[in-house]
Amino acid sequence: MKTQSKIIVIAASLILILSFFFPIWYIDLEAPQYPEGIGLEIWLNKIAGQKPNDLANINGLNHYIGMKEINPDAIPEMKIMPFIIIFLIVFGLISGISGKRSLVYIWIVLFFVVAAVGLYDFYMWEYDYGHNLNPHAAIKIPGMAYQPPLIGSKMLLNFNAISMPPIGLYILVAAIVLAVLAIIIDKKSKKKNA
């Protein structure tokens, strides 16, 4: 690879460091009894309320409809994801420094595999929380499930659940776009020199 493409791959790898400092997903709940809304922020290594009491409030609401408590310490993905991102950073740096296009291709494929598995896992996590309800819950509505959408909005009783990616996910997307751009630039420069 040419020097310019190597630098872009190295930059793409280093950008991933920023994903530790921003949430990668959020779920907002809007309802008349919560005019300011309540919500969750999902980070690589934690789940937190958007405001100090939001997680406790959501767990309190979930208790009435039979959903399990959201306990970030009980979610193994929160412990695994930081190591996966660190691996992607290191592998990307090795790919960029070595200048081997084949390693960059492998890095891009690994990135897409991690993203696909991550989205599937998140969907299944939402599905489990929204469908596996306590049959002895105070509020039971036959046939009702409380799974928030993977992306977009959905009415759950009187709550509008909005699930969207914030800046953390865009950081991940920027890294992969830069890696693809590095490959394109390198291929074009090789054609010019051929």
Side-chain angles (χ1 to χ4, degrees):
M1 289 179 74
K2 298 284 186 184
T3 303
Q4 182 183 15
S5 293
K6 289 181 183 181
I7 291 169
I8 293 172
V9 172
I10 290 167
S13 305
L14 293 174
I15 282 174
L16 291 176
I17 294 169
L18 295 175
S19 65
F20 286 92
F21 300 99
F22 298 97
I24 56 171
W25 215 269
Y26 74 83
I27 299 173
D28 277 336
L29 299 171
E30 299 173 347
Q33 65 266 44
Y34 291 97
E36 294 179 8
I38 56 176
L40 294 176
E41 291 180 340
I42 299 156
W43 299 63
L44 289 176
N45 61 345
K46 66 181 179 179
I47 295 178
Q50 289 179 351
K51 295 184 286 303
N53 295 319
D54 280 5
L55 182 57
N57 287 337
I58 289 168
N59 278 331
L61 291 167
N62 288 350
H63 173 74
Y64 287 109
I65 57 175
M67 290 176 75
K68 291 184 279 188
E69 179 180 339
I70 298 170
N71 179 358
D73 294 332
I75 301 170
E77 293 85 348
M78 301 286 113
K79 295 172 181 70
I80 297 167
M81 274 308 293
F83 293 105
I84 292 172
I85 296 299
I86 289 168
F87 169 77
L88 288 172
I89 292 167
V90 171
F91 194 92
L93 288 172
I94 291 168
S95 303
I97 292 166
S98 72
K100 293 182 181 177
R101 197 187 300 171
S102 60
L103 286 180
V104 178
Y105 280 123
I106 292 168
W107 188 64
I108 291 169
V109 169
L110 284 173
F111 211 108
F112 277 111
V113 168
V114 167
V117 169
L119 280 173
Y120 175 76
D121 184 65
F122 181 48
Y123 173 83
M124 292 309 295
W125 179 80
E126 287 184 323
Y127 183 91
D128 179 52
Y129 272 80
H131 286 81
N132 294 327
L133 305 173
N134 182 345
H136 306 294
I139 299 173
K140 289 181 280 195
I141 300 174
M144 181 70 184
Y146 300 97
Q147 178 184 1
L150 183 62
I151 191 164
S153 66
K154 177 181 178 182
M155 289 303 294
L156 302 170
L157 297 178
N158 67 327
F159 283 88
N160 184 24
I162 302 164
S163 179
M164 296 296 281
I167 191 168
L169 189 78
Y170 297 120
I171 290 166
L172 300 176
V173 169
I176 200 66
V177 167
L178 283 173
V180 171
L181 180 65
I183 293 286
I184 292 168
I185 289 171
D186 193 58
K187 281 185 171 184
K188 283 186 179 180
S189 70
K190 288 226 190 296
K191 282 182 184 175
K192 280 183 187 176
N193 296 334

